[in-house]
């Protein structure tokens, strides 16, 4: 299971959202569960809730995805880099042929976008 946290899910993790906490626990404790934090979304989450980036980056079950050249070229023209980097990270890759699911507390943000969404709204 491959899951990308968007900035809203990252902020929710810092606010004690039980569903987000369960994802983090599974990514740490269960084989086959992978949780990703795109760097641009991590920056936005930290702006909304200072300390979020450092906290999430220190968790062993979370992989921070750098903004590499390929990602930068794709998201540069987008309005919000946080959502764009999350969407880019959810696309299929060699390692994730089915792509990943975007975990969010703002599912309406993803309406009409080509991603699968996991609603973390309590």
């Amino acid at each position: 299971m491959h899951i990308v946290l968007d900035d809203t899910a990252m902020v929710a993790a810092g606010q004690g959202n039980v569903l987000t906490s369960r994802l983090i626990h599974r990514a740490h404790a269960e084989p086959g569960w992978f949780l990703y934090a795109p760097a641009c979304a991590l920056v936005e989450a930290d702006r909304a809730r200072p300390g979020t980036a450092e906290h999430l980056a220190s968790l062993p079950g979370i992989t921070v995805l750098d903004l590499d050249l390929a990602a930068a070229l794709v998201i540069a023209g987008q309005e919000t880099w946080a959502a764009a980097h999350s969407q880019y990270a959810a696309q299929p890759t060699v390692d994730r042929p089915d792509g990943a699911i975007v975990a969010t507390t703002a599912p309406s943000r993803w309406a009409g976008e080509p991603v699968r969404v996991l609603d973390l709204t309590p």
Side-chain angles (χ1 to χ4, degrees), residues 25-104:
H25 173 74
R26 281 193 165 174
H28 175 68
E30 294 183 30
W33 281 78
F34 303 95
L35 203 53
Y36 304 99
C40 292
L42 199 56
V43 168
E44 282 304 310
D46 201 71
R47 286 180 180 166
R49 189 172 194 282
T52 299
E54 185 176 355
H55 174 72
L56 288 176
S58 71
L59 296 174
I62 296 180
T63 301
V64 176
L65 300 176
D66 294 332
L67 181 63
D68 60 13
L69 179 59
L73 294 174
V74 170
I75 71 172
Q78 301 297 319
E79 193 168 314
T80 64
W81 283 25
H85 198 190
S86 297
Q87 182 175 337
Y88 175 81
Q91 299 308 306
T93 65
V94 173
D95 295 335
R96 298 183 304 273
D98 294 328
I101 300 167
V102 175
T104 185

Side-chain angles (χ1 to χ4, degrees), residues 2-27:
H2 296 275
I3 300 173
V4 174
L5 297 173
D6 76 356
D7 56 308
T8 67
M10 293 179 198
V11 170
Q15 295 174 327
N17 179 294
V18 69
L19 299 174
T20 308
S21 294
R22 286 180 187 163
L23 285 178
I24 292 168
H25 173 74
R26 281 193 165 174

